[in-house]
Each structure stands twice: as structure tokens, then as C-alpha cells.
Amino acid sequence: MTYKPGVCNFCGTGCGHNLRVENGSITGVFASPGHPVGKGRLCVRGWHIHELLGTKERILHPLVRRNGHFEKVPLSEALDLVADRLGGFAGSEAAFWASPRASNEDIYSLVKLARSVLGSNNISLLSDDGHREAVDVLGGSCGIPAMPGSLADIAKADFLLVAGADITRQNPIVGSDLHLAALQGADLVTIGARRTQIAELSRTHIQNKPGTIALVLAAMAKTLIEDGRAAREFADNRNSGFEAFAESLRGLNMPDIERLTGLSSDDIRGVALRLAGAKRAMAFFSSGISGLDRDTIAVLHNLFLLSGHAGREGCGINPITGICNIVGGYDMGAVHDLWPGYAPVGDAAAAERLKTVWEKAPTTTAGFEVNALLADPEKKLKALVVMDHDEDTGRFAERIRSLDFVVYTGAYANPFLESAHVVLPAASYVETDGTFTNTERRIQLSRAKAEAPPDALPAWRIFSEIAARRKQDWGFRSPENVMREIAKVVPAYSGVTYAKLEKDFGIQWQGAGAGTPAFAPISGAFQVPETSEEYPFLLLTGEANHFWHRNTIMRRTQIPMREYNALLLLYPNGFVEIAEEDAKRLGLRERTPVSLTSAEGALTSFTRISKALKPGAAYVPYFLHETIARLLPSAWGSSSRGEDAAVPIRIEKV
């Protein structure tokens, strides 16, 4: 029996752990005491990762669908078939879904296959859209398209703001750091319509009406400008964008803000002045499905710039990623309009760099997000390659089943296999070397700890084999080879080697374009959802720590799954939380069957009376994802707008 060090593969925090290896199997996990992120801690998910890795639901053999049924075939035959079929499609007819849980080496190899071998820029990360909003705002205004600060800076800040997310549930170790900082004297403030655990731990909870976070932040910014508290180095700089931002706030007036947000101007002003008076201030928000939309992120950034807390060490706004390698996925260019290293598709210098390294020019034909291709039946999508995930398959299941050719490569069986024509077994992340980049841009090396099944190859090797069958030998013989090439084409990874990564707990890449920050453009619309006589409630959606994402991962664990099942016994169709005052008014008790009706659809659920909500607000967790789909069948855009999206509904006793 031995313990081997590695990196947790769940959320984007990137905690270190030691996995117990017995007879070639992972049988236990222990937190890494010296790790700079986890500091000897793991969350409820991380403590059960060995149960996931020990699941019997492995994909052990290559499968090819013939006459409606899967047949086991030799690996070489499956790879030949995939290479031959994919080569028969035009680049515009094929799309590629990369996994945000895969290593940088695996994602990079898929990106290279799509762009240099098969001529397609139709590539996306199989995750929520929220992180792209943060990439655009921070990349455009700070030069760093990711979290500019470090998690270690939390302990040095004297003002900490959490916007929206219940970070104690989504990234529990980051939530723990915020709580510890508050205990040591930091001023912790949470803005959100629901009294979450992090709100309970905060000195101040600004409990706004649903859908008004951007308006609250804008009101704080307007207060600082009118009180003359704007940082002069930015306010006096004509190129900073200050005038345009100030102009976008000019039409706001406090009586309207108070009515729409449900907050008093004194409360808003008080927090704004505490922010302005802080020496070091940081803000945190989720960049996943429960994240913020672009305008809200931009206003948050501008508020921190205005108060003098952007572009300085230990300050700034920080997107916290929900899946372990979302940042790395963007770094590798798993985005339809960005090449590796965040260069726009078509950028001449980047094209030349890629051509030199790849020995073939990347395609410059415009690509599309995979979601957009699947959502539009007019798009001539015919082939889809999916990597190790099944998020969103329910939403597009019919469309995916109609495609001419679908390839799935992954380590574990899941519902997506039913849509695939060919299945290629992949090594799990503990069966191969690979690097992962956490939310604070820390590139960490995770070494192999167990042997993969005989027919399972690392994903980078699968994509290399397909490329070789299309007459392109990349020369990759190990994941370290892949990293050497990544270091040549991704500027932020220049100089990164496995030898350097092994010396410490990873390397944080720096933004090459970082400089003086500027104000981010905003729409200035500040539209907020409002109730009506027909729809008197505003519905929020969110998640819980035992029910991570669609639960396709956590259902393979024991204690988290026990908690999940216990909740399902009480609420088999999910639940809707409402305030006690609303329950009394409607004559509802705990677990009363109710119907929820929006302008888009309806569902039946059970009431759960909660002190976390103010009257007029309702909350549905999306651990039963299909509940949201039933309620909002044509309004997925509303829920995907993030934590602050709110939908007017009515609630009636059944």
C-alpha cells in the first residue's frame, strides 16, 4: 500500500491530495498537508474521489454500433473507422466537444486534431458559458483572461465581496478561506437574493431582489463617483473608459434603485464606502452556470477599478471555476473563435506560430460553438466528437441522435454512449500523466498512479493515432512531449516543463498583456425582471454541494449519493423553496404539492419553506436538471444567464 500525490479532479480550486494505491487500484484519499491551495483540506466531494475512480462503470473495450447494437472491435479497427469517417466530412460539418475535466495535454491534442487535421474551428468546452464572459471582460480590461489574483491573497485582503454564488457549496475550500479571513478581521460582504451559507458567514448580506446584482453594483459605483471617491488615476485618464462608464450610470436614480432592488440607499452607500476605504479588496463570483452575465461582471470590475482595487497586487475581481480544468481548456484554445493562447482565429502572428509548430496552417474558416450548432437545425452539422463528459446531452439528445457520425471517447460509461456510433475507451486521469490549470492559473502536474485497462489509451494518444491515420504524425510519444509543444504555441506556458512543475506545487502563469487596467464597456441597460399579477414570484435556480452539476459524477460516490438519495425520498420531484410568509398566505405547508407556471411552461413540485428567501422570491435547485427544462422548455437562455437570472412565475396549490 502506498500514497501517491496528485490534484483533485472535481472543481476548479485545484486542491492537492494523496491517493492510496493498493494492488493497482485507488482505494483511498488523504488531503495533501503542504499544498498551497488545499492546505491539508478537501471538501465533501474531494474526500470521496476514490469511490468515483473505483466505479465498475468503466468503458473497457472499443465499441462500434452495427445494426443498432454495439459490437466489441479491436482498437486499431475502431481508430481506422473513426479516422476514415471523420475524413469524409468537411470541416464545417464536424464539431468537437472538449472536456473541462480533461488534462491540458488531452484538450490540446483534440484542438490540434480539429484545427490542423480536420479543418474545423467548431470546438467548445463541454461546460457552461459563464467563464467566457469573465474571459472577455478581464482579458479586455486587464490583459489577463482569467482570475488576476491568487487564492493566497484572500488572507491579506481587508475587504472581500462575494457576488451571487454560494461559494461554500460550489468551491468549499475557497469558501473556507473567505470564512477564515472574516474570522481574522476581513470585512466579508455577500450580495445575493438568497441567504446562502456564505451570506450567513458574512458581516453584511446585501439581500437584493432577484435579478438585480448588476444594479446594486452600479448603484455602489454611482455613489463613489458622486461622493468624489473615484480613484483619480483612472478618472483623470481619458483613455481609461471612465467617462463612458460614468455616463452609463447617469440615468440611474436612487428612488428607482431602491424600488427595484429592495434595498435602502444608505445600505448601498455604506458598503460602497467600506470598499473605497479598504487597503486591499477582492471580489469573487462563480464563472459557471450559476455565475454572472457579462454586464454584471463588467460593472463589478469597473466598481473595483473605480475604488482603486484593480490592477494592484492582492486586489481585483476573481472568477472561480466550477470544473477542474476550465481555465486550462481556454488556455488550450478549446473555443470556437480563439486559438491556443487566446489569439483570435485569423490572427496573423498566431497563425504563423501555429503553422511553424504544426507544420500545417490552421484553418481560418469561422467556427461556431457546438451548442449553437446543435440548437440550429439549419446548420449542416453531420459529425460530432465528444470527450469524456455528458453534460447537455439531454438538451440536444434528439439532434445528436440524428447526426451521421458521433464519436465518444471517455473512461466511464454514461448516457451519451446511447447516441454514439463509435466508443473509444480512454485512460482515467489517474492512469496517465497530465497537467491541470486551476482557477488561479496554477498549472499542476498529476502523475499516473495506476495502469489503464489494456484497450484504454490516454486521450492525447487517441487523437494522435487518428491524426496519424490522416497522414499527420505529430511525434507525440508521451504527455511530456505534448507539453513541450504547448509551451511553444501558448505564450503564457512558455518555459513550462514537467521538470519545473515537479519541483513545487505547480506554476501560476502570468498574463503577457497585463498592463494598466481600463473600464470595461457595459450596455447600461440594467434591465431587471419584474413580477406581475399573473406571475407574482421571481424564481432563482442554483446548486448544492452534494449534487454537483448534473450528478453524473457524484452518483458514483457513497456518502454524497446517500445525501442525494435521502433528499429524493422527501422530494422525488425536487422542491421549490419559498418564504414562510408566502407559504402562510398561500395556505401551503412543508411538502405540499404545488404547480409552478411560467410564461414558458409548468411543472409540479413540492414546497420547502425556507428562511433563506424574502417574500416574493422562489428557488429551485437544478440537481434535478430536468425540472428546470420542464418549467422553462424554451427559455434555457434564462437559466444559463447565471445566478442572477430570475424568471417570473406563479405558484398554486395542486
Side-chain angles (χ1 to χ4, degrees), residues 404-652:
D404 292 353
F405 191 58
V406 177
V407 180
Y408 181 79
T409 177
Y412 303 104
N414 64 50
F416 193 88
L417 270 63
E418 297 305 314
S419 301
H421 297 89
V422 178
V423 177
L424 298 171
S428 76
Y429 93 102
V430 294
E431 295 164 347
T432 180
D433 295 347
T435 60
F436 300 83
T437 307
N438 78 347
T439 194
E440 59 168 1
R441 314 170 326 282
R442 182 182 298 274
I443 310 164
Q444 300 187 87
L445 175 61
S446 181
R447 289 290 194 184
K449 301 163 187 64
E451 292 290 328
D455 278 343
L457 298 179
W460 65 266
R461 176 87 182 278
I462 290 172
F463 303 135
S464 299
E465 292 286 342
I466 296 170
R469 284 162 168 78
R470 300 304 307 168
K471 311 301 182 188
Q472 286 194 40
D473 182 1
W474 294 343
F476 294 159
R477 301 295 179 261
S478 71
E480 191 169 6
N481 291 158
V482 185
M483 177 51 73
R484 288 198 190 104
E485 185 168 307
I486 292 171
K488 294 177 183 175
V489 302
V490 179
Y493 285 59
S494 176
V496 171
T497 66
Y498 275 23
K500 290 181 180 177
L501 293 172
E502 275 193 314
K503 288 182 178 177
D504 206 343
F505 294 102
I507 298 171
Q508 282 181 272
W509 63 257
Q510 299 299 318
T516 303
F519 287 88
I522 65 170
S523 71
F526 298 113
Q527 293 179 336
V528 299
E530 294 197 66
T531 58
S532 63
E533 285 190 17
E534 186 175 9
Y535 302 111
F537 288 88
L538 288 175
L539 176 70
L540 300 162
T541 60
E543 64 181 335
N545 55 348
H546 294 111
F547 321 120
W548 198 52
H549 297 156
R550 293 191 66 192
N551 230 40
T552 53
I553 304 298
M554 298 310 293
R555 70 181 176 82
R556 297 188 176 97
T557 63
Q558 294 177 12
I559 291 179
M561 193 60 195
R562 183 193 67 189
E563 299 295 321
Y564 179 72
N565 286 334
L567 196 64
L568 283 182
L569 286 174
L570 291 172
Y571 304 99
N573 291 321
F575 57 82
V576 54
E577 285 186 358
I578 57 174
E580 189 172 4
E581 297 91 328
D582 287 328
K584 287 181 179 177
R585 182 171 54 80
L586 296 175
L588 304 175
R589 295 184 177 181
E590 190 77 14
R591 297 191 71 249
T592 301
V594 292
S595 66
L596 280 64
T597 306
S598 72
E600 306 291 339
L603 67 83
T604 299
S605 189
F606 295 93
T607 54
R608 194 184 201 197
I609 299 171
S610 171
K611 295 180 180 178
L613 295 169
K614 284 186 173 180
Y619 171 81
V620 170
Y622 60 70
F623 68 90
L624 286 174
H625 229 236
E626 59 271 29
T627 61
I628 302 298
R630 284 205 300 272
L631 182 64
L632 308 164
S634 62
W636 261 92
S638 296
S639 60
S640 66
R641 283 202 298 272
E643 178 98 7
D644 205 32
V647 180
I649 63 166
R650 66 173 177 270
I651 300 174
E652 297 167 300

Side-chain angles (χ1 to χ4, degrees), residues 257-550:
I257 291 171
E258 290 183 328
R259 177 179 62 82
L260 293 169
T261 64
L263 304 171
S264 76
S265 57
D266 286 345
D267 287 345
I268 293 172
R269 184 170 185 274
V271 173
L273 294 180
R274 279 153 55 190
L275 167 62
K279 292 180 179 177
R280 286 189 170 198
M282 302 176 78
F284 297 85
F285 58 97
S286 168
S287 68
I289 190 170
S290 52
L292 303 176
D293 64 15
R294 189 193 182 288
D295 245 18
T296 307
I297 297 169
V299 176
L300 179 60
H301 165 74
N302 291 350
L303 170 64
F304 269 61
L305 189 56
L306 202 60
S307 66
H309 297 105
R312 290 173 46 202
E313 184 181 353
C315 293
I317 71 168
N318 302 285
I320 302 298
T321 51
I323 308 178
C324 66
N325 204 31
I326 286 182
V327 171
Y330 274 81
D331 295 346
M332 298 303 109
V335 194
H336 71 287
D337 60 346
L338 297 175
W339 279 333
Y342 295 93
V345 166
D347 179 84
E352 189 59 34
R353 182 168 64 243
L354 290 172
K355 181 181 177 182
T356 300
V357 175
W358 288 356
E359 298 180 350
K360 184 179 179 182
T363 179
T364 55
T365 303
F368 296 90
E369 292 181 352
V370 178
N371 277 345
L373 289 170
L374 291 170
D376 185 355
E378 299 300 317
K379 299 291 184 187
K380 294 180 179 177
L381 181 64
K382 295 182 178 179
L384 179 63
V385 178
V386 179
M387 180 186 193
D388 199 25
H389 217 295
D390 67 347
E391 202 94 22
D392 266 344
T393 51
R395 185 178 168 198
F396 297 115
E398 187 175 346
R399 170 80 159 136
I400 292 172
R401 281 195 291 269
S402 74
L403 300 178
D404 292 353
F405 191 58
V406 177
V407 180
Y408 181 79
T409 177
Y412 303 104
N414 64 50
F416 193 88
L417 270 63
E418 297 305 314
S419 301
H421 297 89
V422 178
V423 177
L424 298 171
S428 76
Y429 93 102
V430 294
E431 295 164 347
T432 180
D433 295 347
T435 60
F436 300 83
T437 307
N438 78 347
T439 194
E440 59 168 1
R441 314 170 326 282
R442 182 182 298 274
I443 310 164
Q444 300 187 87
L445 175 61
S446 181
R447 289 290 194 184
K449 301 163 187 64
E451 292 290 328
D455 278 343
L457 298 179
W460 65 266
R461 176 87 182 278
I462 290 172
F463 303 135
S464 299
E465 292 286 342
I466 296 170
R469 284 162 168 78
R470 300 304 307 168
K471 311 301 182 188
Q472 286 194 40
D473 182 1
W474 294 343
F476 294 159
R477 301 295 179 261
S478 71
E480 191 169 6
N481 291 158
V482 185
M483 177 51 73
R484 288 198 190 104
E485 185 168 307
I486 292 171
K488 294 177 183 175
V489 302
V490 179
Y493 285 59
S494 176
V496 171
T497 66
Y498 275 23
K500 290 181 180 177
L501 293 172
E502 275 193 314
K503 288 182 178 177
D504 206 343
F505 294 102
I507 298 171
Q508 282 181 272
W509 63 257
Q510 299 299 318
T516 303
F519 287 88
I522 65 170
S523 71
F526 298 113
Q527 293 179 336
V528 299
E530 294 197 66
T531 58
S532 63
E533 285 190 17
E534 186 175 9
Y535 302 111
F537 288 88
L538 288 175
L539 176 70
L540 300 162
T541 60
E543 64 181 335
N545 55 348
H546 294 111
F547 321 120
W548 198 52
H549 297 156
R550 293 191 66 192

